[in-house]
Amino acid sequence: MSALHANMELLRKLLVGFVRDEVRKVGISKVTLGLSGGIDSALVVFIAAEALGPENVHAVCMPYKTSNPESEAHARLVATACSVNFSVVPITAMVDAYFDIFPDADNMRRGNKMARERMTILFDHSALLRALVLGTSNKTELLLGYGTLYGDMASALNPIGDIYKTQVWQLSTAMGIPAEVIEKKPSADLWAGQTDEEELGFSYRQVDELLYRMVDQRLTRPELIAAGFEGAFIDTIYAKIQNSHFKRRLPVIAKVSNRTIDRDFRYARDWGK
Amino acid sequence: MDFTAVLAQIKPKLGCVSDNLTLIEEQITNAQDAGADLIIFPELALSGYFLKDLVPEVALRTDSPEIKRLIELSRGISIAIGFVEESNDYHFYNSALYLEDGAIGHLHRKVYLPTYGLFDEQRYLAHGESFRAFETKFGRFGMLICEDMWHLSASYILAMDGATTLICLSSSPARGIEGDTPGSAAAWQKLVSTTAMFLNCRVLYSNRVGFEDGVNFWGGSEYVAPSGESIVRAALLEEDVITVQVAEGALRRERIISPLMRDENLFVTMQELQRIAEKRRG
């Protein structure tokens, strides 16, 4: 039933070309990114290494004390496989210092704080290394809002934001990412035993089939039902997209002048590049 | 007559007219040194594509120093090039110039400004109001800018106006990753080939490359013979410059083998379009 089959050679060329062109045109030769041990950041680091040469890519693994030790081992494995620079910056001290003040904080607050802690480290590395921060959110996560605003969603350039998780798997296989990283269950690794699919309540493959038809092909609700999707599932996903839309936009600015940023003051980001 | 054309598949910088002019002059010199008769640049080669509010900043009058410089260069080689044109009444057009022997041979203002999907042209630009064929040293030409070609009537009018060569200047974004080439590239190749075949015209298609805000322009500039056969195609997704030998004999033979244009009934077409127009007016 999959409608998500893509030409991996073409996709690889486009994404590698994207990183090369968009990084170099701003007069920079390096990138940095967080390497979690999961598949999304593994794919991005492979793409970056091919685009800019591994010597120009700096991957940072940022574990918290509850992170699965396997994650760091996988991050190291991936970094070694594509020969990029690799360092480990644990976030336990910073995160714990904060939650000593708020010991009752729940998992969501703690998870968001961790994601944002990592973001500050990456942007500090951006200044340290004169490197752009690469994002690693895929299209599935971005559409579902399954990410932390100003945390893992923050970046300068995101090579994989227009490909679904299913396609991330396909491209990862095509690019030779170590099998254990491809085969393991996706997890935000915020607490022990967490998996994305359990938390979301559906599988990525399932939701990607729906998202592709709903978003890319613009099928209507009756058409989706005729294609075999359950009404309740369609409604849940539609609501998730709608309710997370704020995460995909710049902060809303109160318009008072004749020319407001991003409303009637419109320029491409690549202005002058 | 036979002639040599160069399709300059360049990567303009967004909003940087002077840098782009330098790049363009370099390409013109190279083509001229190599003995080419004509060089064709992509749509908005002087400015880049996703201009948005930059449109008035990068716009050039046809009597601006930049355009005068290109007109001067056309003494050595004919030039087709895309830019943002500023008119006397301060309208801004997505325009293409055909320059030859130190003069403007033709100015085409893009008629069909795509404003859907990733396109937003009509917000920033005024649309042209004519399709006219024109005489060149190499026969009668018609000029189209990108989206223009997706409207059958545009190429049809030019062919009926006597054009036997269509040149299309393009900034076509890549999208669709299912096939061997980007979906938009495959669609364009079909379009160019079919247009050539239906109208017994040769087509010279010049598309740009590079990225703007994550959007890729796929290149693949090509020369398609009047039979619809692609004779030379430039690289996909990379800067490239291709030289094509355009043979008059191929055009003559094609028009003998399949004289569709000879048999095209302009009277019937006009009569039916007139009827439809009257019906629409009510």
Side-chain angles (χ1 to χ4, degrees):
Chain A
M1 142 175 196
S2 180
L4 290 156
H5 190 75
N7 178 339
M8 289 303 133
E9 204 185 321
L10 174 62
L11 180 57
R12 181 178 185 162
K13 230 183 223 179
L14 283 167
L15 301 186
V16 167
F18 163 81
V19 171
R20 192 177 290 146
D21 196 276
E22 295 283 11
V23 170
R24 290 190 180 154
K25 74 162 60 155
V26 296
I28 285 181
S29 56
K30 294 182 188 171
V31 293
T32 185
L33 75 160
L35 204 54
S36 66
I39 192 166
D40 298 305
S41 56
L43 177 58
V44 174
V45 80
F46 262 68
I47 291 168
E50 188 169 320
L52 304 168
E55 68 280 9
N56 291 314
V57 180
H58 195 109
V60 190
C61 180
M62 295 166 284
Y64 181 66
K65 65 187 177 194
T66 59
S67 300
N68 189 339
E70 189 190 75
S71 301
E72 186 182 324
H74 282 163
R76 201 176 288 277
L77 176 73
V78 167
T80 307
C82 61
S83 313
V84 299
N85 303 294
F86 180 75
S87 61
V88 178
V89 181
I91 59 168
T92 307
M94 303 78 125
V95 171
D96 283 357
Y98 180 76
F99 286 112
D100 281 348
I101 311 172
F102 301 102
D104 300 332
D106 61 12
N107 273 344
M108 191 198 67
R109 282 176 63 195
R110 286 173 191 274
N112 282 340
K113 175 71 180 165
M114 288 175 214
R116 292 183 181 125
E117 199 59 52
R118 292 184 175 115
M119 177 277 291
T120 66
I121 292 165
L122 289 178
F123 278 87
D124 180 55
H125 275 66
S126 170
L128 172 71
L129 303 165
R130 223 180 115 66
L132 291 183
V133 175
L134 293 186
T136 60
S137 303
N138 61 58
K139 191 171 184 173
T140 311
E141 290 177 339
L142 288 176
L143 284 171
L144 298 176
Y146 194 59
T148 300
L149 183 60
Y150 308 121
D152 51 293
M153 292 178 86
S155 69
L157 298 170
N158 180 352
I160 63 167
D162 201 23
I163 65 173
Y164 290 105
K165 188 78 171 187
T166 306
Q167 296 166 325
V168 167
W169 276 313
Q170 290 171 27
L171 186 57
S172 297
T173 306
M175 290 189 72
I177 284 162
E180 44 269 70
V181 176
I182 300 178
E183 284 156 14
K184 72 175 174 182
K185 285 191 170 154
S187 168
D189 198 18
L190 296 173
W191 55 86
Q194 182 193 23
T195 73
D196 293 1
E197 295 183 335
E198 208 169 289
E199 203 181 0
L200 287 165
F202 42 78
S203 78
Y204 277 122
R205 291 187 195 280
Q206 240 179 327
V207 78
D208 283 353
E209 294 293 343
L210 176 62
L211 287 172
Y212 180 74
R213 288 171 176 78
M214 196 189 249
V215 175
D216 295 70
Q217 300 189 309
R218 299 189 190 222
L219 262 58
T220 61
R221 194 173 185 280
E223 286 169 331
L224 291 167
I225 287 173
F229 295 98
E230 282 179 26
F233 185 43
I234 298 169
D235 298 340
T236 303
I237 299 308
Y238 187 93
K240 272 187 186 291
I241 297 173
Q242 185 179 16
N243 295 332
S244 64
H245 194 58
F246 71 96
K247 294 187 178 183
R248 294 181 292 269
R249 305 305 310 256
L250 285 178
V252 178
I253 293 174
K255 181 172 177 66
V256 292
S257 78
N258 287 325
R259 244 188 134 194
T260 309
I261 293 160
D262 243 37
R263 184 162 303 277
D264 29 36
F265 176 85
R266 301 182 182 206
Y267 296 89
R269 165 116 164 216
D270 285 348
W271 181 2
K273 308 290 183 223
Chain B
M1 65 182 274
D2 294 350
F3 62 97
T4 305
V6 167
L7 305 178
Q9 186 167 296
I10 59 169
K11 182 165 82 170
K13 281 168 75 173
L14 186 60
C16 304
V17 174
S18 117
D19 291 351
N20 293 330
L21 185 62
T22 306
L23 170 69
I24 285 159
E25 285 194 36
E26 231 174 73
Q27 295 290 340
I28 291 172
T29 309
N30 292 347
Q32 196 180 341
D33 290 349
D37 301 300
L38 165 65
I39 182 165
I40 304 172
F41 290 95
E43 173 186 21
L44 297 176
L46 272 163
S47 62
Y49 182 75
F50 285 108
L51 293 163
K52 305 186 183 203
D53 282 354
L54 281 176
V55 161
E57 274 184 55
V58 301
L60 300 171
R61 294 170 50 93
T62 50
D63 59 4
S64 64
E66 292 86 350
I67 300 297
K68 277 188 176 156
R69 171 77 187 134
L70 292 171
I71 293 173
E72 198 48 42
L73 290 171
S74 77
R75 290 187 193 283
I77 181 172
S78 302
I79 302 165
I81 188 156
F83 72 115
V84 179
E85 179 205 352
E86 179 169 339
S87 66
N88 289 334
D89 51 356
Y90 305 114
H91 292 176
F92 301 93
Y93 297 94
N94 181 340
S95 293
L97 278 170
Y98 186 88
L99 310 172
E100 197 162 87
D101 293 335
I104 294 178
H106 187 69
L107 170 73
H108 173 64
R109 292 170 170 169
K110 189 175 186 177
V111 172
Y112 292 107
L113 302 174
T115 305
Y116 59 83
L118 77 168
F119 303 110
D120 214 5
E121 287 186 36
Q122 209 147 188
R123 178 183 165 91
Y124 304 101
L125 296 156
H127 61 83
E129 290 181 334
S130 66
F131 292 105
R132 300 279 157 82
F134 56 97
E135 290 303 327
T136 75
K137 290 197 282 196
F138 319 107
R140 200 161 167 81
F141 278 24
M143 210 154 43
L144 298 159
I145 304 175
C146 210
E147 187 83 358
D148 283 338
M149 198 164 202
W150 284 94
H151 292 262
L152 282 175
S153 54
S155 309
Y156 177 82
I157 290 164
L158 292 172
M160 292 313 290
D161 200 18
T164 50
T165 302
L166 299 178
I167 52 184
C168 181
L169 293 74
S170 185
S171 286
S172 173
R175 52 224 193 270
I177 48 169
E178 295 80 20
D180 293 340
T181 60
S184 47
W188 262 103
Q189 286 163 3
K190 223 180 282 177
L191 172 71
V192 170
S193 164
T194 311
T195 303
M197 202 162 48
F198 279 164
L199 301 175
N200 306 138
C201 282
R202 50 169 94 98
V203 182
L204 293 162
Y205 174 73
S206 182
N207 189 28
R208 62 162 290 183
V209 287
F211 287 80
E212 286 181 4
D213 277 18
V215 177
N216 170 268
F217 300 91
W218 53 271
S221 303
E222 65 178 337
Y223 163 43
V224 174
S227 61
E229 187 194 350
S230 176
I231 306 293
V232 194
R233 184 175 291 157
L236 287 177
L237 316 180
E238 288 166 28
E239 284 168 288
D240 200 3
V241 177
I242 57 167
T243 304
V244 304
Q245 308 295 337
V246 181
E248 194 64 22
L251 176 64
R252 181 172 185 268
R253 280 194 300 279
E254 191 59 32
R255 290 199 161 213
I256 295 168
I257 296 165
S258 87
L260 298 173
M261 280 297 96
R262 182 198 67 190
D263 299 345
E264 175 63 21
N265 195 323
L266 187 58
F267 174 75
V268 173
T269 307
M270 291 298 295
Q271 171 190 277
E272 293 308 308
L273 289 178
Q274 201 63 46
R275 176 183 62 77
I276 293 162
E278 272 163 28
K279 197 166 124 195
R280 280 203 190 175
R281 270 197 295 270

